[in-house]
Amino acid sequence: MGVTIRDVAEKAGVSVSTVSKVMNHWKTISEETTKRVEAAAAELKYTPNARAVNFARGNTRNIIYLTELKKGEAYSNPHMFDIMCGVFTELARNGYTMSLMDISDEAHPKETIRDIIDQKSADGIVIHGSVINQATADLIIDRSFPHLVIGHPDFDNRLCWVDTNHELAGEHAGEYILKHNAFPTVFIGGRKNEFISHEREKGFRSFLLRHKHRVTSDHVVYTSSTWKEGYEAAMKILSYDSSDASAAGGNQIPGSIVCENNTIAVGVSRAIKELGLSVPEDVAFLTFDVYPYSTILDPKPEVVEINVYDMGVQAGAMICRKIDNPGLMIQSYITLPEME
Amino acid sequence: MGVTIRDVAEKAGVSVSTVSKVMNHWKTISEETTKRVEAAAAELKYTPNARAVNFARGNTRNIIYLTELKKGEAYSNPHMFDIMCGVFTELARNGYTMSLMDISDEAHPKETIRDIIDQKSADGIVIHGSVINQATADLIIDRSFPHLVIGHPDFDNRLCWVDTNHELAGEHAGEYILKHNAFPTVFIGGRKNEFISHEREKGFRSFLLRHKHRVTSDHVVYTSSTWKEGYEAAMKILSYDSSDASAAGGNQIPGSIVCENNTIAVGVSRAIKELGLSVPEDVAFLTFDVYPYSTILDPKPEVVEINVYDMGVQAGAMICRKIDNPGLMIQSYITLPEME
DNA sequence: CTGAAAGCGCTTACAG
DNA sequence: CTGAAAGCGCTTACAG
């Protein structure tokens, strides 16, 4: 049914190898035969069978993207899918296909990856840091299989990874506050020991400290990242009775509130609205990430946005380089912040 | 480097074909040889090369999922990715891999699909209805390539597709209003000619009509689906001055507001809050889809939820059946609504 | 019950 | 500049 290289060879009156060479643009073929073969191929509407080509060449031209693909993941973790789109686009540009594979604790990450390597079903893998463990890392390193981890693992490792620099994002937030002289400033974070929140807080505070503004601990609030807690924190912060001010050690309504994430910002926005304050005149209002909620808030926060799609593109480019150059070692922070 | 079927054959002292038969559980092999071969395979940690197996069998055991994979798509269209996860899971369960491919007007849908068919890089495709056109449909039908379209195309076709039944979802909304006797009811939709909005409105109104409640046109509002327009519409609806009531032909504050989508619901929620009304006592409040916004609203709407992940699972099952049984024709609405 | 052989559709040294 | 032949790692009639 399908037209193969054989059919083209017959029609053009040449050998199969010659057709192959024409299809691959070898320059040793005479112009005349090239034309004859191309004409035959065109007439038969011949397209090389991609799987056969890769099989003969001993590669797959396929990269597997490993991540959690559970029900609801698209809503709880949309950034991951944006990264995935970035990776995909870059891989396609480099002539690779991309397959998906589910990986989570239940899916036995180590066995999944061992199978990929043994069955040679891909030339490389892109995998999310959140689903990788020490045993899996050891396996990848041991087999020296081309890989790239998105989001650096929380243990010592020799894996190749890329990540966003949340501390730097925190510094950008500090920069905004400084530029608008919106002091004193209050940082409302997630839980104290949460990685991303901690990094953002650290960058924020250290940037301001370098510029002679100390953000004291009583100007940092930890929450469990619900909008309610954000709302309550903001109500408390923004409602200092001016008569109390001197009494409570110089407490005053802050010039700005920085929310570590979108959900907290929902509550803070609601509090600002309820108190009839205007942004940024009465209080500047800042958060991280445009999505999922910042666009529908009123008042609307300023946003420190990280272009994660582009991080995906970078990751895609890196895995391609890794495949061509297995010795390559990459561990880097890629941050493309944009003030929106 | 890799251990092949040959190595196992040598070690076990049998032929390559025998090893193949053992790996594929032919029952013609004696128990004794089976054991010997299995031992050899285990010792060498042999795993068949998946690409070679498929190549020899003449299939790929791969399905390509075609959709838009642009930057930001994960935020603007999270439901699509939830469907994708459902499709993936079901395909994996059936022993298929799933590759992604970008398809959009710029990506030349027809050429992309022609290449897939010609290069035999997949046994079938799952494709989003929004990116399919007549020419592409003709090609697929003409080649009778196994396919499944998610979301039915807006032109006459003989494609296989599945879709959610938005009209039925509208009926569910009507049912809720009827059950809570929350009349009069106002439906705030998107633009009048928008497909989904129109279907939901139709189901809603016809269900209620069947139960002796006519939703007149002045109780239906069309918007361009911004939260602002939702807010303004709700403010107007909910602020009828009681003294005006008789004047304006019996206008009265409605017992319920049904929002056709989440964005409209954001504005309506805000209006209800601002007017100090309580839900559902003063006014019942309903929308469609839990995501992206309903969970963070205050007041929070009731939701008619459609399980699109499960629709993806169904679609995955159907494409597998299509491949085994090419004559199969499927055009159906799959709706698994859940009142949350 | 087992194996030799042809074949899946290409690529690529190698010889001419 | 072109082609015969071996090979990629399996499967599957077919023969014994």
Side-chain angles (χ1 to χ4, degrees), chain B residues 93 111 121 154 219 239 290:
Chain B
R93 225 178 53 75
E111 284 64 36
S121 39
D154 56 1
H219 282 72
S239 313
V290 171

Side-chain angles (χ1 to χ4, degrees), chain B residues 78-333:
Chain B
H79 291 91
M80 191 278 282
F81 288 89
D82 201 33
I83 296 171
M84 186 168 95
C85 289
V87 173
F88 169 83
T89 303
E90 182 62 15
L91 292 181
R93 225 178 53 75
N94 285 274
Y96 284 93
T97 58
M98 186 178 99
S99 308
L100 258 37
M101 202 149 278
D102 182 46
I103 194 165
S104 47
D105 276 343
E106 315 90 75
H108 307 290
K110 193 173 169 189
E111 284 64 36
T112 303
I113 291 174
R114 200 210 312 285
D115 284 349
I116 292 172
I117 300 177
D118 288 342
Q119 299 174 4
K120 298 179 188 48
S121 39
D123 296 341
I125 53 176
V126 174
I127 180 171
H128 268 254
S130 55
V131 291
I132 207 165
N133 54 34
Q134 184 74 58
T136 312
D138 290 347
L139 172 71
I140 294 172
I141 295 296
D142 185 48
R143 304 293 207 90
S144 38
F145 192 69
H147 66 278
L148 197 79
V149 181
I150 307 238
H152 77 278
D154 56 1
F155 49 86
D156 255 3
N157 65 82
R158 300 173 164 228
L159 295 165
C160 292
W161 53 258
V162 299
D163 203 349
T164 54
N165 188 337
H166 298 294
E167 192 174 342
L168 185 56
E171 296 192 21
H172 278 89
E175 209 174 328
Y176 176 86
I177 298 304
L178 182 69
K179 190 168 123 203
H180 292 265
N181 197 32
F183 296 100
T185 184
V186 174
F187 184 94
I188 306 183
R191 291 206 175 77
K192 188 165 186 172
N193 55 355
E194 224 169 89
F195 180 73
I196 294 179
S197 182
H198 180 77
E199 294 291 301
R200 287 175 173 169
E201 179 195 337
K202 189 163 72 179
F204 180 68
R205 293 174 77 169
S206 69
F207 177 89
L208 288 178
L209 193 58
R210 285 205 300 280
H211 293 83
K212 316 292 177 215
H213 285 91
R214 176 180 299 278
V215 180
T216 53
S217 330
D218 57 318
H219 282 72
V220 176
V221 182
Y222 300 105
T223 71
S224 46
S225 295
T226 58
W227 73 259
K228 276 228 155 108
E229 283 182 67
Y231 170 82
E232 279 154 16
M235 284 304 275
K236 201 164 142 195
I237 292 162
L238 296 171
S239 313
Y240 285 131
D241 189 339
S242 53
S243 58
D244 285 3
S246 56
N251 275 342
Q252 57 179 123
I253 293 188
S256 57
I257 296 185
V258 176
C259 304
E260 186 272 317
N261 68 49
N262 261 235
T263 307
I264 295 171
V266 170
V268 172
S269 173
R270 214 156 265 169
I272 294 174
K273 180 80 169 186
E274 194 168 320
L275 294 169
L277 300 172
S278 54
V279 169
E281 293 76 15
D282 297 327
V283 60
F285 176 28
L286 191 69
T287 190
F288 297 85
D289 303 328
V290 171
Y291 298 97
Y293 304 130
S294 86
T295 58
I296 53 142
L297 295 185
D298 176 44
K300 201 167 173 175
E302 288 296 318
V303 172
V304 176
E305 168 75 345
I306 303 301
N307 191 336
V308 294
Y309 175 89
D310 228 275
M311 183 176 74
V313 170
Q314 306 286 340
M318 284 183 188
I319 184 71
C320 294
R321 282 205 280 147
K322 270 291 277 184
I323 290 169
D324 296 336
N325 181 357
L328 190 65
M329 178 66 175
I330 304 166
Q331 294 194 333
S332 71
Y333 288 107

Side-chain angles (χ1 to χ4, degrees), chain A residues 5 17 20 24 46 49 56:
Chain A
I5 197 171
S17 14
S20 174
N24 293 294
Y46 169 68
N49 176 319

